[in-house]
Amino acid sequence: MSIVQVSPHPWGATHEVNEFVERVSAGLAARGHRVVVAAPSGSRAAVRESRRAILAARDRPAALFGRAWKGERAGGDGGPPVLAVGSSLSMPRGPGPRTAPVPIDLSRPLEDLLGGVEFDVVHVHDPFAPSASAVALRHSRSLNV
């Protein structure tokens, strides 16, 4: 199966959702599934490199799952690729609860990824709007979990 795990939290930041995504992704890949992780990132270089990989996957989707990926991987060197699908934004501060902003550059890479690669399963974590997971649900053409 080909699976994309979508986290709404910036990759690299310590968060229990990202830790879960990392463990599950590495476990699924070890069982022979083709897995990628999509999450916001604080690194503009990672976002640019991921966009190039996503656009290249339109012509050769299998390359997205191969060993050629030089960026970050979930679960270490042999794990699934982590695609930085947009810049992360910090949570607004203030006396009352506020909605977390969704970076405007999230929609296009997720649309390109989910429209250009046929995934069997799109696994979204914390799919509450506004978030990368909610955007993924909007563009998904696969089974959503």
Side-chain angles (χ1 to χ4, degrees):
M1 292 185 99
S2 60
I3 303 165
V4 59
Q5 301 260 6
V6 183
S7 174
H9 304 285
W11 196 259
T14 303
H15 195 280
E16 62 188 14
V17 171
N18 285 350
E19 292 170 10
F20 177 77
V21 169
E22 184 171 28
R23 284 193 314 270
V24 169
S25 297
L28 288 168
R31 290 185 185 110
H33 297 289
R34 300 179 329 151
V35 182
V36 296
V37 175
S41 174
S43 168
R44 290 180 185 219
V47 171
R48 283 192 303 273
E49 185 60 34
S50 296
R51 283 187 181 162
R52 280 193 283 270
I54 290 168
L55 292 176
R58 287 180 178 173
D59 298 325
R60 294 184 21 232
L64 194 60
F65 303 100
R67 296 288 174 204
W69 177 248
K70 301 297 183 209
E72 192 164 0
R73 290 184 172 272
D77 292 334
V82 176
L83 300 174
V85 293
S87 300
S88 61
L89 293 176
S90 59
M91 293 289 289
R93 297 177 189 239
R98 296 186 182 178
T99 305
V102 174
I104 58 173
D105 62 346
L106 271 178
S107 187
R108 176 57 68 121
L110 282 170
E111 181 179 12
D112 289 343
L113 175 64
L114 299 174
V117 179
E118 290 186 33
F119 289 102
D120 296 314
V121 176
V122 176
H123 189 173
V124 297
H125 300 270
D126 286 351
F128 308 108
S131 72
S133 298
V135 172
L137 285 174
R138 185 171 60 230
H139 295 294
S140 175
R141 298 178 183 144
S142 304
L143 174 65
N144 298 308
V145 177

